[in-house]
Amino acid sequence: MTENAQPIKVDIWSDIACPWCYIGKRKFEAGSGLFAGGGDGRGVEIEYHSFELSPDTPVDFEGGEAEFLARHKGIPEAQAQEMLDRVTGIAASVGLAYDYDHLQHTNTVLAHEAIHFAKAHGKQLELTERLLSAYFLEGRHVGKVEELSALGGEVGLDPDALTAALESHEFLGAVRKDQQTAAEYGINGVPFFVIDGKYGVSGAQEAQTFARVLEQVWNTRAEAEEVSA
């Protein structure tokens, strides 16, 4: 293909409160970087989509993350803590310092609405990264309008406009549409990557796996173009 080739579209379903989504984000970024390093115009275009792992979560959850996980999965709190310790170690391996001692578990629907607002203003990727960092690394409360508006301002969004959009739930319909599409695809866990609208990859795969899938899609597209030429 040429330098004018179209990038591969990657649609990612994720949740701000999903630890594997942030880990998967880092691994996908590394994998897409390996893929792009092959030249010939290789590149990806990313769009995030809403998925709520626990839509019944209260905005203000009283208790720690191990307690929430124990309740949610119906397991002993000690086992839940072991799971958190494991994911913390995996996060560290991709440069993310998860801070479960200060994490504020919350309902994420407003965060998803904020990400759709950011998408409408060309800042979706920036706000997605900012909210994941705020939630997992900084102990910020991403379930509140004022906090989301402040974080949006940090990536160049208009805080007042974001506040108005969140208070009116202007983008709630877009969130629900994403969730409906996930159901139609049969997505029941995140992160989930839909590549070129045809190929699904589930979970926080290794960078090399993502790079290999992208390369396969690229080559399949090139072969199809040669046949039709």
Side-chain angles (χ1 to χ4, degrees):
M1 290 192 187
T2 68
E3 293 296 328
N4 296 321
Q6 292 295 314
I8 293 175
K9 177 70 182 300
V10 181
D11 294 281
I12 305 174
W13 271 261
S14 70
D15 192 359
I16 293 300
C18 166
W20 295 104
C21 289
Y22 205 4
I23 292 168
K25 183 176 186 295
R26 283 291 183 271
K27 290 187 174 185
F28 180 79
E29 288 166 348
S32 60
L34 291 172
F35 164 70
D40 292 332
R42 285 171 173 78
V44 298
E45 175 190 344
I46 296 170
E47 181 176 347
Y48 279 94
H49 299 275
S50 305
F51 190 99
E52 289 180 274
L53 284 172
S54 304
D56 57 346
T57 303
V59 172
D60 294 300
F61 176 76
E62 299 296 333
E65 186 67 6
E67 182 182 347
F68 176 87
L69 189 60
R71 287 190 200 175
H72 183 64
K73 290 188 173 292
I75 59 176
E77 195 165 324
Q79 184 180 347
Q81 186 60 54
E82 290 177 1
M83 293 172 67
L84 293 178
D85 291 343
R86 175 173 171 267
V87 77
T88 298
I90 295 171
S93 74
V94 294
L96 298 172
Y98 282 8
D99 184 359
Y100 278 114
D101 290 339
H102 296 96
L103 184 147
Q104 298 188 59
H105 204 95
T106 187
N107 189 288
T108 58
V109 68
L110 273 180
H112 286 298
E113 291 180 46
I115 289 170
H116 274 282
F117 174 91
K119 175 185 171 184
H121 293 83
K123 293 284 187 179
Q124 189 195 45
L125 301 186
E126 292 86 347
L127 186 62
T128 298
E129 172 66 29
R130 187 66 194 94
L131 294 187
L132 285 164
S133 175
Y135 184 75
F136 283 107
L137 312 186
E138 303 168 28
R140 303 278 289 270
H141 197 316
V142 301
K144 293 184 176 180
V145 170
E146 58 271 23
E147 191 79 284
L148 290 167
S149 296
L151 291 165
E154 291 181 20
V155 300
L157 294 168
D158 182 334
D160 293 335
L162 178 52
T163 295
L166 294 175
E167 290 179 344
S168 68
H169 297 292
E170 179 182 352
F171 291 93
L172 181 59
V175 173
R176 298 303 182 221
K177 184 176 179 181
D178 276 353
Q179 294 170 326
Q180 179 60 38
T181 302
E184 291 169 358
Y185 278 151
I187 299 171
N188 52 27
V190 288
F192 195 93
F193 304 78
V194 176
I195 300 174
D196 218 24
K198 303 173 185 176
Y199 310 96
V201 177
S202 178
Q205 303 293 330
E206 295 302 321
Q208 292 81 1
T209 299
F210 284 123
R212 185 167 59 250
V213 171
L214 290 167
E215 188 67 25
Q216 288 171 347
V217 172
W218 182 265
N219 290 336
T220 298
R221 184 198 286 181
E223 291 167 4
E225 288 179 0
E226 288 177 6
V227 169
S228 62

